[in-house]
Amino acid sequence: MPRAPQCSVPCSSLWLASVALVVHAGLSSSQYQRPVVGAGKRAGFMERTLILLDVDTHRPIRVLNDNFLSLQLDPAIIKDGWLDFLSSKRLVTLARGLSPAYLRFGGKRTDFLQFHNLKNLAKFRGPGPDYYLKNYEDGASYYMDGRVRKVEDFLKTRLLDTLSEQINKVFKVVHSHAPGKKVWLGGVGPAWAAGTNNLSDTYAAGFLWLNTLGMAAAQGVDVVLRHSLFDYGYTHLVDQHFNPLPDYWLSLVFKRLVGPRVLAVRVAGLQRKPRPGRVIRDKLRIYAHCTSSSSHNYVKGSITIYIINLHRSRKKIKLAGTLRNKTVHQYLFQPYGADGLHAKYIQLNGQKLVMLDDGAFPELSPVALRAGRTVVMPPMSIGFYVIKNINAYACRR
């Protein structure tokens, strides 16, 4: 059954173009995330080892678009009459949850669309507005292709790091031929083309999605366009009955907690030196931003840290430096039910997330960790941590 779009988000324009990648030059995540992976150690030792985490709160390393996380829809939904589903109250609620955002139409049928300027009907254009084509650089963005054959592939750091390599290449081209242009990452989904049932619509796909957001932000990508809120296939955020999938809940919390100012992360702890010609790829991925100013629960000066634990063992993280002895609000995500990584439901702090009704989300309540308490990340989990009383200078504006 088709799924219907709605981006009731403040969209300054409907971008009518093909899958796009638009990037801004920057540091790779490795420049402010030192490796925390250990090898050849006993599991007990790994679990007992503390990882020390600090964040530079003096100045942001990036300032992104306020609509950093945005949405893309395939033009096929127009041709096939799917826009009728815009009358769905549930879909409208889900779209509003991800505001503010851009809504962009992009896909293989884009060339068959025509753009009409409703404010000035005399200005008629063919495929795509000229403004878009003049101000942004395009490229392909699917980087998880036929290599993803099973859900465990989403845990492979080499595949997750492929995006960083592609972004670096695009940055070099942009700076050489079009310096100053922003870069947008378009058509982003957890797998090639329409994805695969019971793979790209599972909890495990959330590792790739959140890592994409963190990596793109750290490297200076101005906007990431998720394909799709609903559409053909299995790479969307809601299922055929308009029930949110795990990636939707991660996106919703990201929108509520993560602001456009990116902060440098400093990590110390269990480390090892790579052998010549080898690269150590982190299974514990840590990103930090100023907390979103649209969040009514937190004042300016708060910071949000989000962590992906790809290890099959728990990890203990001690907040150090400027983060020491601060009150922390935890939003911990794990799969719900016996399906584990294959789960299509997700739990937040132990509570299964489902819509209360067509017009209401469940309460997304944090767990308050006492000041100075060690953060414990369960195996293969995702966590958002808000440091609420830090009054970070980089986040006051």
Side-chain angles (χ1 to χ4, degrees):
M1 169 181 163
R3 306 146 205 110
Q6 166 72 19
C7 188
S8 35
V9 290
C11 307
S12 59
S13 295
L14 297 181
W15 302 124
L16 305 168
S18 58
V19 176
L21 174 68
V22 203
V23 198
H24 187 206
L27 305 164
S28 68
S29 58
S30 61
Q31 287 178 272
Y32 35 83
Q33 261 186 267
R34 286 187 283 172
V36 293
V37 179
K41 304 290 184 180
R42 299 186 308 276
F45 176 82
M46 295 280 286
E47 290 191 8
R48 289 195 301 271
T49 302
L50 276 179
I51 295 161
L52 301 181
L53 170 63
D54 192 13
V55 172
D56 184 353
T57 59
H58 296 292
R59 63 185 62 85
I61 57 172
R62 308 282 182 209
V63 179
L64 311 174
N65 196 299
D66 287 339
N67 298 344
F68 172 71
L69 197 173
S70 288
L71 298 173
Q72 177 173 307
L73 295 175
D74 195 296
I77 66 171
I78 299 175
K79 184 177 184 299
D80 297 342
W82 286 18
L83 289 181
D84 293 343
F85 283 92
L86 294 181
S87 60
S88 166
K89 181 178 180 181
R90 174 173 288 235
L91 196 60
V92 170
T93 300
L94 292 169
R96 283 178 176 161
L98 300 183
S99 65
Y102 295 116
L103 173 62
R104 174 177 178 269
F105 285 94
K108 58 186 178 182
R109 298 196 186 184
T110 302
D111 291 340
F112 299 97
L113 294 180
Q114 293 179 328
F115 175 75
H116 293 267
N117 189 327
L118 297 180
K119 293 183 178 180
N120 187 343
L121 296 178
K123 294 184 177 181
F124 169 81
R125 299 186 179 96
D130 291 341
Y131 177 85
Y132 174 78
L133 297 176
K134 290 178 181 177
N135 287 275
Y136 298 94
E137 284 296 322
D138 296 347
S141 64
Y142 289 105
Y143 62 102
M144 299 289 278
D145 50 28
R147 292 169 295 181
V148 183
R149 301 180 182 89
K150 55 185 183 297
V151 75
E152 288 76 15
D153 287 339
F154 288 112
L155 303 177
K156 294 181 177 178
T157 55
R158 181 177 296 276
L159 292 182
L160 268 63
D161 288 342
T162 304
L163 176 64
S164 179
E165 298 163 7
Q166 291 189 2
I167 289 177
N168 284 332
K169 292 178 182 178
V170 173
F171 274 140
K172 290 181 180 179
V173 174
V174 171
H175 282 301
S176 297
H177 302 285
K181 282 195 175 183
K182 300 290 186 179
V183 179
W184 288 20
L185 179 62
V188 178
W192 171 259
T196 305
N197 189 24
N198 295 320
L199 178 62
S200 46
D201 52 357
T202 63
Y203 169 81
F207 295 134
L208 170 64
W209 175 226
L210 193 63
N211 184 72
T212 297
L213 293 173
M215 188 175 287
Q219 293 185 251
V221 173
D222 197 50
V223 173
V224 173
L225 294 150
R226 172 59 189 250
H227 188 92
S228 169
L229 177 60
F230 77 99
D231 207 340
Y232 295 106
Y234 304 97
T235 61
H236 38 70
L237 297 177
V238 300
D239 67 14
Q240 59 184 356
H241 303 295
F242 301 152
N243 294 313
L245 290 166
D247 276 9
Y248 180 87
W249 295 112
L250 292 174
S251 302
L252 181 64
V253 171
F254 188 96
K255 274 287 189 181
R256 293 189 179 186
L257 298 182
V258 179
R261 292 176 173 266
V262 186
L263 304 174
V265 172
R266 295 190 286 260
V267 177
L270 191 63
Q271 302 179 49
R272 61 189 174 95
K273 294 182 178 180
R275 298 196 299 271
R278 298 293 298 275
V279 176
I280 294 197
R281 300 181 185 272
D282 297 341
K283 285 197 170 185
L284 191 69
R285 297 177 176 236
I286 306 174
Y287 304 97
H289 293 233
C290 296
T291 302
S292 173
S293 60
S294 63
S295 175
H296 301 298
N297 298 323
Y298 302 106
V299 299
K300 286 186 177 181
S302 302
I303 68 172
T304 299
I305 300 169
Y306 49 108
I307 305 174
I308 305 167
N309 182 17
L310 298 171
H311 289 279
R312 297 185 181 275
S313 60
R314 66 176 183 167
K315 293 299 169 185
K316 294 182 178 181
I317 302 168
K318 187 72 173 178
L319 302 183
T322 56
L323 308 182
R324 184 185 294 113
N325 296 326
K326 303 296 182 182
T327 301
V328 178
H329 279 185
Q330 172 184 269
Y331 299 80
L332 181 64
F333 288 96
Q334 294 177 276
Y336 179 83
D339 291 331
L341 295 178
H342 293 84
K344 294 187 179 180
Y345 289 96
I346 196 169
Q347 57 180 321
L348 171 63
N349 294 327
Q351 298 297 317
K352 179 183 179 182
L353 292 179
V354 293
M355 296 287 288
L356 299 180
D357 54 46
D358 288 347
F361 293 106
E363 198 68 37
L364 302 178
S365 301
V367 169
L369 306 181
R370 70 175 183 273
R373 177 178 171 181
T374 299
V375 172
V376 178
M377 289 285 297
M380 295 176 288
S381 62
I382 295 171
F384 291 80
Y385 298 89
V386 179
I387 318 298
K388 58 177 296 187
N389 56 346
I390 193 172
N391 195 28
Y393 179 77
C395 305
R396 292 180 199 166
R397 290 172 287 175

